Amino acid sequence: MKTVIIGGVAGGASAAARLRRLDESAEIILLEKGPYISFANCGLPYYLGGEIKEREELLLQTPESFYNRFKIDVRVLSEAVKIDRQRKVVHIKNLKDNTEYEESYDKLILSPGAKPIIPNIKGINRKNVFTLRNIPDTDKITEYIAEYSPRSAAVIGGGYIGLEMAENLYLRGLEVTVLEKASHVIGSLDFDTAVEVHNYIRSKGINLILGEAAEEITDSPDGKTIIKTANREIKTDMIILSIGVTPDTALAEDCGLELAPNNAVITNEHMQTSDKDIYAVGDCVMVKNLVTGEPAHIPLAGPANKQGRIAADNICGIKSVYKGSIGSAILKFFDLTVAACGINERAAKASGLDYDKVFLYALSHAGYYPGARNISMKVLFENKSGRILGAQLVGFKGVDKRCDVLSAAIRHGFTAYDLEELELCYAPPFSSAKDPVNMAGFVITNIIEGIVKQYHWHDIDRLSKDENVTLLDVRTEREAARGCLERSINIPLDSLRDRLNELDKSKPVYVVCQSGLRSYIACRLLSQNGFDCYNLAGGYRLYESVTKEKEKTPSLQNGTEL
């Protein structure tokens, strides 16, 4: 059996190694148009920032090491330019000498990955405008910084890579601006979760501009580069484009393989394309979103590695199946950790799911043990079943392990009742007896079972104008004096039992506290005394942070979707 693999890095290199482990006699050829077959592209920002000291640490395999370990014929600087499906050959261009030749195959694996999106912006083709996708990109940025000593940088795009680049350029001593077209950074988050990230970005001295798109790049008289938006001009010395990626599927399209509307390759669960002898893996393929069941493009290293292994299995007669992805991802931004898994509200609405959400502020470990930090959690769930649909977490400690647990829960169809029952490791330095994941389960089941009803920050504008409801603030007088909901009555929780006569039982009572805990207790008290009561999810803290963020971003006043 002769297998040709087009593209290395995560998917292609994993497929090649698995093929050899399964079949010692197989002929395996790996083609890579770049100079490196396997490198840590997720580590590139950290090399630029100096956290990873040596460039060689990014190189996971070389052609020589791959051949010595696996006897795989690796050809770098070898670009596949055409696939002849009828003859089962690949036309290859040797980029070292510009010669071309053909290579036959029995099975073919496509792993070309994705390429950076380059927006159609006037003036974008400049020597100080960069993308970051591979080691040559990293070298160009490093060389530019060494030669020109820029003092400022603008990152266009506030996704995971964009923020990692912002941090690492800042650590190199540059003044950094992040320009994001959307209403918030990190597309897998919702606006109400992202506001905490926004506040932290600004606290680090990074200029964050939201809701504005770059429209033109030009020069200023003082030698700076200017990014023009509809509202302002941003002066900078260099620009990083981090808008996202698109599947690199020109080869697949040219040879007539079935593609999705976004040009990603369509495969079956065995990673086979519309041609039974051609497989595709990694950032170039469509997968199934396990939460919604719908097709999705989820370009992540973990899924790419698994898909490469599954393609190799099937070529060797093992009927492995790729079931789909839930898009689990995580970001370190200075000391802050941001993580998400499953779907966000935008995706839930688009899929027509009957869902709701809860907000929690839980400590990373037992509060009496030194060093506990808050974790902000938003968890989406299906209303009737309690199935967990998605989670978003922001904090400084313990975020990764909680998101990993929730990711596993989502993948296996867990409900809130399952979260309640999870037996997770507990000792004061690591968690609490009721872990934050358990707490999410408790909060959700209270809602499903009707023990408490809730309302959300985006309901408050409507409720504050409704004379037929009571807004009740159960925080202390001092807390309420620092800021409260319009028309709200302040009765501290500890006084509430003795002051029930001050409330009108004929009106629904919408209760608020700082985080949602005291208002939950108040709702239980009120409900058992004949009141129709609702608890503000996330509390005044969430409402205040979202409201202030909307005020900072003029474009959000014009109906921009949050």
Side-chain angles (χ1 to χ4, degrees), residues 118-129 156 179 213-219 225-229 234 239 241 243:
I118 308 296
N120 185 22
I121 299 173
K122 184 180 179 181
I124 201 168
N125 296 316
R126 296 167 174 267
K127 68 178 182 180
N128 66 340
V129 178
I156 299 178
L179 176 65
E215 296 182 350
E216 183 181 355
I217 300 173
T218 186
D219 294 321
T225 296
I226 295 177
I227 303 172
K228 293 183 177 181
T229 76
I234 304 161
I239 298 169
L241 297 177
I243 297 170

Side-chain angles (χ1 to χ4, degrees), residues 156-231:
I156 299 178
Y160 289 94
I161 302 300
L163 292 187
E164 288 172 351
M165 281 301 299
E167 173 190 357
N168 284 284
L169 289 169
Y170 180 90
L171 293 175
R172 289 195 69 140
L174 280 71
E175 296 178 8
V176 179
T177 294
V178 175
L179 176 65
E180 171 55 56
K181 180 180 179 180
S183 63
H184 61 85
V185 299
I186 309 178
S188 57
L189 301 183
D190 291 314
F191 180 81
D192 46 23
T193 305
V195 291
E196 287 205 40
V197 185
H198 298 170
N199 292 334
Y200 186 77
I201 291 171
R202 296 183 182 111
S203 77
K204 302 306 290 187
I206 290 173
N207 183 29
L208 177 63
I209 301 171
L210 298 167
E212 297 184 30
E215 296 182 350
E216 183 181 355
I217 300 173
T218 186
D219 294 321
S220 68
D222 60 1
K224 293 273 190 179
T225 296
I226 295 177
I227 303 172
K228 293 183 177 181
T229 76
N231 300 319

Side-chain angles (χ1 to χ4, degrees), residues 251-506:
L251 265 180
E253 183 177 17
D254 183 61
C255 74
L257 295 179
E258 186 180 0
L259 303 181
N262 68 342
N263 285 332
V265 180
I266 295 175
T267 69
N268 62 17
E269 61 186 3
H270 305 300
M271 306 313 300
Q272 278 177 307
T273 69
S274 51
D275 184 321
K276 65 181 180 62
D277 292 320
I278 301 179
Y279 295 74
V281 302
D283 293 356
C284 72
V285 304
M286 290 296 283
V287 298
K288 181 171 75 172
N289 184 306
L290 281 176
V291 178
T292 66
E294 298 168 354
H297 182 230
I298 303 177
L300 294 169
N305 275 281
K306 296 176 181 69
Q307 292 159 14
R309 179 185 177 95
I310 287 168
D313 281 356
N314 283 280
I315 287 172
C316 293
I318 300 172
K319 295 300 180 185
S320 294
V321 167
Y322 188 74
K323 297 178 181 178
S325 178
I326 62 169
S328 301
I330 192 166
L331 165 73
K332 183 195 85 68
F333 185 75
F334 294 93
D335 295 326
L336 189 72
T337 304
V338 184
C341 56
I343 60 173
N344 56 22
E345 285 203 65
R346 186 171 59 253
K349 291 174 183 175
S351 298
L353 291 169
D354 179 20
Y355 77 96
D356 202 349
K357 68 245 184 179
V358 295
F359 299 88
L360 299 89
Y361 304 103
L363 290 176
S364 55
H365 61 248
Y368 58 82
Y369 187 89
R373 300 293 298 272
N374 229 9
I375 301 174
S376 299
M377 301 172 61
K378 177 178 183 177
V379 183
L380 275 65
F381 63 96
E382 201 167 40
N383 269 320
K384 291 182 180 179
S385 68
R387 178 171 69 107
I388 306 302
L389 304 175
Q392 302 161 39
L393 299 89
V394 179
F396 295 92
K397 295 175 64 176
V399 168
D400 52 344
K401 73 173 182 175
R402 272 61 185 227
C403 195
D404 282 341
V405 172
L406 288 163
S407 177
I410 292 168
R411 184 169 189 89
H412 294 285
F414 281 18
T415 68
Y417 301 97
D418 296 313
L419 297 189
E420 286 185 313
E421 296 175 2
L422 285 176
E423 187 174 342
L424 303 172
C425 295
Y426 162 60
F430 303 105
S431 184
S432 299
K434 291 186 285 190
D435 187 86
V437 174
N438 298 132
M439 291 302 300
F442 297 145
V443 174
I444 295 170
T445 55
N446 278 344
I447 294 167
I448 293 172
E449 294 176 357
I451 293 173
V452 66
K453 295 183 287 188
Q454 65 175 359
Y455 67 110
H456 293 288
W457 62 264
H458 44 76
D459 299 319
I460 290 174
D461 285 348
R462 171 180 56 83
L463 292 170
S464 64
K465 298 178 179 66
D466 189 346
E467 298 289 341
N468 297 313
V469 304
T470 299
L471 295 173
L472 173 64
D473 190 329
V474 296
R475 297 176 297 165
T476 65
E477 292 180 2
R478 180 177 294 182
E479 286 177 289
R482 290 197 291 264
C484 61
L485 301 183
E486 185 180 348
R487 289 186 52 251
S488 62
I489 300 169
N490 179 222
I491 303 178
L493 175 61
D494 293 344
S495 306
L496 185 58
R497 279 187 179 85
D498 298 327
R499 299 175 60 181
L500 292 177
N501 62 323
E502 298 178 30
L503 299 174
D504 185 348
K505 276 191 179 180
S506 68

Side-chain angles (χ1 to χ4, degrees), residues 30-37 63 74-78 94 96:
L30 194 157
L31 305 173
E32 172 56 55
K33 68 179 179 181
Y36 307 101
I37 59 158
V74 176
R75 304 175 189 176
V76 295
L77 296 173
S78 297
N94 185 332
K96 299 173 186 175

